[in-house]
Short mmCIF file of all heavy atoms in Angstrom, two decimals:
data_model
loop_
_atom_site.label_atom_id
_atom_site.label_comp_id
_atom_site.label_asym_id
_atom_site.label_seq_id
_atom_site.Cartn_x
_atom_site.Cartn_y
_atom_site.Cartn_z
N VAL A 9 22.99 -42.99 38.47
CA VAL A 9 22.66 -41.56 38.46
C VAL A 9 23.89 -40.71 38.17
O VAL A 9 23.83 -39.77 37.36
CB VAL A 9 22.01 -41.14 39.80
CG1 VAL A 9 21.92 -39.61 39.91
CG2 VAL A 9 20.62 -41.74 39.92
N VAL A 10 25.02 -41.05 38.78
CA VAL A 10 26.25 -40.30 38.51
C VAL A 10 26.65 -40.46 37.05
O VAL A 10 27.05 -39.49 36.38
CB VAL A 10 27.39 -40.75 39.45
CG1 VAL A 10 28.72 -40.13 39.02
CG2 VAL A 10 27.08 -40.34 40.89
N GLY A 11 26.53 -41.68 36.54
CA GLY A 11 26.87 -41.92 35.13
C GLY A 11 25.99 -41.13 34.18
O GLY A 11 26.47 -40.53 33.21
N VAL A 12 24.68 -41.09 34.46
CA VAL A 12 23.75 -40.33 33.61
C VAL A 12 24.02 -38.83 33.73
O VAL A 12 23.94 -38.09 32.75
CB VAL A 12 22.28 -40.66 33.98
CG1 VAL A 12 21.32 -39.78 33.19
CG2 VAL A 12 21.98 -42.12 33.71
N ALA A 13 24.38 -38.38 34.95
CA ALA A 13 24.72 -36.97 35.14
C ALA A 13 25.94 -36.58 34.31
O ALA A 13 25.98 -35.51 33.69
CB ALA A 13 24.98 -36.68 36.62
N LEU A 14 26.93 -37.46 34.28
CA LEU A 14 28.13 -37.17 33.49
C LEU A 14 27.81 -37.20 32.00
O LEU A 14 28.37 -36.41 31.22
CB LEU A 14 29.24 -38.17 33.83
CG LEU A 14 29.80 -38.06 35.25
CD1 LEU A 14 30.85 -39.13 35.50
CD2 LEU A 14 30.39 -36.67 35.51
N PHE A 15 26.90 -38.09 31.58
CA PHE A 15 26.49 -38.09 30.18
C PHE A 15 25.75 -36.80 29.83
O PHE A 15 25.92 -36.24 28.74
CB PHE A 15 25.61 -39.30 29.87
CG PHE A 15 25.13 -39.34 28.44
CD1 PHE A 15 26.03 -39.56 27.40
CD2 PHE A 15 23.80 -39.14 28.13
CE1 PHE A 15 25.60 -39.58 26.08
CE2 PHE A 15 23.36 -39.16 26.82
CZ PHE A 15 24.27 -39.38 25.79
N PHE A 16 24.92 -36.31 30.77
CA PHE A 16 24.26 -35.02 30.55
C PHE A 16 25.31 -33.92 30.34
O PHE A 16 25.16 -33.06 29.47
CB PHE A 16 23.36 -34.65 31.73
CG PHE A 16 22.94 -33.20 31.71
CD1 PHE A 16 21.95 -32.75 30.84
CD2 PHE A 16 23.57 -32.27 32.54
CE1 PHE A 16 21.59 -31.41 30.79
CE2 PHE A 16 23.22 -30.93 32.50
CZ PHE A 16 22.22 -30.51 31.63
N THR A 17 26.37 -33.95 31.15
CA THR A 17 27.43 -32.95 31.00
C THR A 17 28.06 -33.03 29.63
O THR A 17 28.39 -32.00 29.02
CB THR A 17 28.51 -33.16 32.08
OG1 THR A 17 27.89 -33.21 33.36
CG2 THR A 17 29.52 -32.03 32.07
N TYR A 18 28.25 -34.24 29.14
CA TYR A 18 28.80 -34.43 27.79
C TYR A 18 27.88 -33.82 26.74
O TYR A 18 28.33 -33.09 25.86
CB TYR A 18 29.01 -35.92 27.52
CG TYR A 18 29.60 -36.22 26.16
CD1 TYR A 18 30.98 -36.15 25.96
CD2 TYR A 18 28.78 -36.56 25.09
CE1 TYR A 18 31.52 -36.42 24.72
CE2 TYR A 18 29.32 -36.83 23.84
CZ TYR A 18 30.69 -36.76 23.66
OH TYR A 18 31.23 -37.02 22.43
N THR A 19 26.56 -34.08 26.85
CA THR A 19 25.62 -33.49 25.89
C THR A 19 25.59 -31.98 26.03
O THR A 19 25.44 -31.26 25.04
CB THR A 19 24.20 -34.05 26.07
OG1 THR A 19 23.64 -33.63 27.31
CG2 THR A 19 24.19 -35.57 25.99
N GLY A 21 28.13 -30.19 26.76
CA GLY A 21 29.34 -29.72 26.10
C GLY A 21 29.16 -29.59 24.59
O GLY A 21 29.44 -28.54 24.01
N ASN A 51 37.07 -24.68 29.00
CA ASN A 51 35.95 -25.25 29.76
C ASN A 51 36.46 -26.06 30.94
O ASN A 51 35.91 -26.01 32.04
CB ASN A 51 35.11 -26.15 28.85
CG ASN A 51 33.93 -25.42 28.23
OD1 ASN A 51 33.06 -24.91 28.94
ND2 ASN A 51 33.91 -25.35 26.92
N LEU A 52 37.53 -26.82 30.69
CA LEU A 52 38.14 -27.63 31.75
C LEU A 52 38.64 -26.74 32.88
O LEU A 52 38.39 -27.02 34.06
CB LEU A 52 39.29 -28.45 31.16
CG LEU A 52 39.96 -29.48 32.05
CD1 LEU A 52 39.02 -30.61 32.40
CD2 LEU A 52 41.22 -30.03 31.39
N ALA A 55 35.83 -24.97 35.07
CA ALA A 55 35.09 -25.81 36.01
C ALA A 55 35.65 -25.75 37.43
O ALA A 55 34.95 -26.06 38.40
CB ALA A 55 35.09 -27.25 35.52
N PHE A 56 36.91 -25.36 37.57
CA PHE A 56 37.55 -25.34 38.89
C PHE A 56 37.55 -23.95 39.53
O PHE A 56 38.21 -23.73 40.54
CB PHE A 56 38.99 -25.84 38.77
CG PHE A 56 39.09 -27.29 38.38
CD1 PHE A 56 39.23 -27.66 37.05
CD2 PHE A 56 39.02 -28.29 39.33
CE1 PHE A 56 39.30 -28.99 36.67
CE2 PHE A 56 39.09 -29.62 38.97
CZ PHE A 56 39.23 -29.98 37.65
N GLY A 187 32.59 -22.95 31.21
CA GLY A 187 33.02 -23.98 32.16
C GLY A 187 32.66 -23.62 33.58
O GLY A 187 32.21 -24.48 34.37
N ASP A 190 28.52 -24.00 33.59
CA ASP A 190 27.80 -25.23 33.29
C ASP A 190 28.36 -26.48 33.96
O ASP A 190 27.60 -27.41 34.27
CB ASP A 190 27.73 -25.44 31.78
CG ASP A 190 26.66 -24.54 31.16
OD1 ASP A 190 26.37 -23.49 31.77
OD2 ASP A 190 26.13 -24.88 30.10
N ALA A 191 29.67 -26.55 34.19
CA ALA A 191 30.20 -27.73 34.89
C ALA A 191 29.66 -27.80 36.31
O ALA A 191 29.37 -28.88 36.83
CB ALA A 191 31.73 -27.69 34.90
N GLN A 192 29.49 -26.64 36.94
CA GLN A 192 29.01 -26.61 38.33
C GLN A 192 27.58 -27.11 38.46
O GLN A 192 27.19 -27.63 39.49
CB GLN A 192 29.10 -25.19 38.89
CG GLN A 192 30.50 -24.75 39.22
CD GLN A 192 30.49 -23.46 40.02
OE1 GLN A 192 29.83 -23.35 41.05
NE2 GLN A 192 31.20 -22.46 39.52
N THR A 194 26.16 -29.61 36.90
CA THR A 194 26.19 -31.07 37.05
C THR A 194 26.83 -31.46 38.37
O THR A 194 26.41 -32.45 38.99
CB THR A 194 26.94 -31.72 35.88
OG1 THR A 194 26.38 -31.27 34.66
CG2 THR A 194 26.83 -33.23 35.95
N MET A 195 27.83 -30.71 38.81
CA MET A 195 28.42 -30.98 40.14
C MET A 195 27.34 -30.95 41.21
O MET A 195 27.32 -31.79 42.12
CB MET A 195 29.49 -29.94 40.47
CG MET A 195 30.76 -30.03 39.65
SD MET A 195 31.92 -28.71 40.14
CE MET A 195 32.94 -28.60 38.66
N GLY A 196 26.41 -29.99 41.09
CA GLY A 196 25.33 -29.89 42.07
C GLY A 196 24.46 -31.13 42.08
O GLY A 196 24.05 -31.62 43.14
N VAL A 198 25.38 -34.23 41.10
CA VAL A 198 26.17 -35.35 41.64
C VAL A 198 26.25 -35.25 43.16
O VAL A 198 26.14 -36.26 43.88
CB VAL A 198 27.58 -35.39 41.01
CG1 VAL A 198 28.43 -36.47 41.68
CG2 VAL A 198 27.49 -35.65 39.51
N VAL A 199 26.43 -34.04 43.68
CA VAL A 199 26.47 -33.84 45.13
C VAL A 199 25.14 -34.26 45.76
O VAL A 199 25.11 -34.90 46.82
CB VAL A 199 26.81 -32.37 45.48
CG1 VAL A 199 26.52 -32.08 46.94
CG2 VAL A 199 28.27 -32.08 45.16
N LEU A 202 25.11 -37.95 46.02
CA LEU A 202 25.98 -38.41 47.11
C LEU A 202 25.33 -38.19 48.48
O LEU A 202 25.48 -39.02 49.39
CB LEU A 202 27.33 -37.68 47.03
CG LEU A 202 28.19 -37.97 45.79
CD1 LEU A 202 29.43 -37.08 45.79
CD2 LEU A 202 28.59 -39.44 45.73
N ILE A 214 32.69 -29.89 47.66
CA ILE A 214 32.55 -30.78 46.50
C ILE A 214 33.80 -31.64 46.38
O ILE A 214 34.91 -31.11 46.34
CB ILE A 214 32.35 -29.97 45.21
CG1 ILE A 214 31.11 -29.08 45.33
CG2 ILE A 214 32.23 -30.89 43.99
CD1 ILE A 214 30.96 -28.09 44.18
N PRO A 215 33.65 -32.97 46.35
CA PRO A 215 34.84 -33.82 46.21
C PRO A 215 35.62 -33.50 44.93
O PRO A 215 35.03 -33.17 43.89
CB PRO A 215 34.25 -35.24 46.15
CG PRO A 215 32.90 -35.13 46.80
CD PRO A 215 32.40 -33.76 46.47
N VAL A 216 36.92 -33.63 45.02
CA VAL A 216 37.78 -33.31 43.88
C VAL A 216 37.43 -34.18 42.68
O VAL A 216 37.40 -33.71 41.54
CB VAL A 216 39.27 -33.47 44.26
CG1 VAL A 216 40.15 -33.27 43.02
CG2 VAL A 216 39.66 -32.46 45.34
N TRP A 217 37.13 -35.47 42.92
CA TRP A 217 36.84 -36.36 41.80
C TRP A 217 35.58 -35.94 41.06
O TRP A 217 35.48 -36.12 39.83
CB TRP A 217 36.73 -37.82 42.26
CG TRP A 217 35.50 -38.16 43.07
CD1 TRP A 217 35.38 -38.19 44.42
CD2 TRP A 217 34.21 -38.54 42.54
NE1 TRP A 217 34.12 -38.55 44.79
CE2 TRP A 217 33.38 -38.77 43.66
CE3 TRP A 217 33.69 -38.70 41.26
CZ2 TRP A 217 32.04 -39.15 43.53
CZ3 TRP A 217 32.36 -39.07 41.11
CH2 TRP A 217 31.55 -39.30 42.24
N VAL A 218 34.63 -35.33 41.79
CA VAL A 218 33.41 -34.83 41.14
C VAL A 218 33.74 -33.66 40.22
O VAL A 218 33.28 -33.59 39.07
CB VAL A 218 32.36 -34.41 42.19
CG1 VAL A 218 31.15 -33.75 41.51
CG2 VAL A 218 31.91 -35.62 43.01
N LYS A 219 34.57 -32.75 40.71
CA LYS A 219 34.99 -31.61 39.89
C LYS A 219 35.72 -32.07 38.64
O LYS A 219 35.46 -31.60 37.53
CB LYS A 219 35.89 -30.67 40.70
CG LYS A 219 35.17 -29.92 41.81
CD LYS A 219 36.11 -28.90 42.45
CE LYS A 219 35.38 -28.09 43.52
NZ LYS A 219 36.25 -27.04 44.09
N VAL A 220 36.65 -33.01 38.83
CA VAL A 220 37.45 -33.50 37.70
C VAL A 220 36.57 -34.21 36.68
O VAL A 220 36.66 -33.95 35.46
CB VAL A 220 38.57 -34.44 38.20
CG1 VAL A 220 39.26 -35.11 37.02
CG2 VAL A 220 39.59 -33.67 39.03
N ALA A 221 35.68 -35.10 37.16
CA ALA A 221 34.83 -35.86 36.25
C ALA A 221 33.91 -34.95 35.45
O ALA A 221 33.77 -35.10 34.22
CB ALA A 221 34.01 -36.89 37.03
N CYS A 222 33.27 -33.98 36.12
CA CYS A 222 32.36 -33.07 35.42
C CYS A 222 33.11 -32.18 34.44
O CYS A 222 32.65 -31.94 33.31
CB CYS A 222 31.60 -32.20 36.43
SG CYS A 222 30.43 -33.12 37.46
N ALA A 223 34.29 -31.71 34.86
CA ALA A 223 35.09 -30.85 33.99
C ALA A 223 35.55 -31.59 32.74
O ALA A 223 35.48 -31.08 31.62
CB ALA A 223 36.29 -30.30 34.76
N VAL A 224 36.01 -32.83 32.93
CA VAL A 224 36.51 -33.61 31.80
C VAL A 224 35.38 -33.94 30.82
O VAL A 224 35.54 -33.83 29.60
CB VAL A 224 37.19 -34.91 32.30
CG1 VAL A 224 37.45 -35.86 31.15
CG2 VAL A 224 38.50 -34.57 33.01
N MET A 225 34.22 -34.35 31.34
CA MET A 225 33.11 -34.69 30.45
C MET A 225 32.61 -33.47 29.68
O MET A 225 32.28 -33.56 28.49
CB MET A 225 31.97 -35.33 31.24
CG MET A 225 32.30 -36.71 31.79
SD MET A 225 32.79 -37.90 30.51
CE MET A 225 31.23 -38.16 29.70
N LEU A 226 32.53 -32.32 30.34
CA LEU A 226 32.12 -31.09 29.65
C LEU A 226 33.13 -30.74 28.57
O LEU A 226 32.77 -30.35 27.45
CB LEU A 226 31.99 -29.94 30.65
CG LEU A 226 31.48 -28.62 30.07
CD1 LEU A 226 30.02 -28.74 29.65
CD2 LEU A 226 31.64 -27.48 31.07
N SER A 227 34.41 -30.91 28.90
CA SER A 227 35.47 -30.60 27.95
C SER A 227 35.43 -31.54 26.75
O SER A 227 35.55 -31.11 25.59
CB SER A 227 36.83 -30.71 28.66
OG SER A 227 37.88 -30.34 27.81
N LEU A 228 35.23 -32.84 27.00
CA LEU A 228 35.14 -33.81 25.90
C LEU A 228 33.93 -33.53 25.00
O LEU A 228 34.02 -33.61 23.78
CB LEU A 228 35.05 -35.24 26.46
CG LEU A 228 36.32 -35.80 27.10
CD1 LEU A 228 36.03 -37.15 27.74
CD2 LEU A 228 37.44 -35.92 26.08
N GLY A 229 32.81 -33.20 25.63
CA GLY A 229 31.62 -32.86 24.86
C GLY A 229 31.83 -31.63 24.01
O GLY A 229 31.40 -31.55 22.86
N THR A 230 32.52 -30.65 24.58
CA THR A 230 32.82 -29.43 23.83
C THR A 230 33.68 -29.74 22.62
O THR A 230 33.44 -29.23 21.52
CB THR A 230 33.56 -28.41 24.74
OG1 THR A 230 32.71 -28.07 25.84
CG2 THR A 230 33.92 -27.15 23.97
#
Side-chain angles (χ1 to χ4, degrees):
V9 168
V10 171
V12 175
L14 293 177
F15 179 68
F16 166 77
T17 307
Y18 181 83
T19 68
N51 266 300
L52 187 66
F56 294 94
D190 282 25
Q192 285 191 54
T194 306
M195 290 179 202
V198 174
V199 166
L202 294 175
I214 301 171
V216 174
W217 71 265
V218 174
K219 291 186 177 183
V220 171
C222 292
V224 168
M225 292 303 289
L226 184 68
S227 184
L228 289 174
T230 299

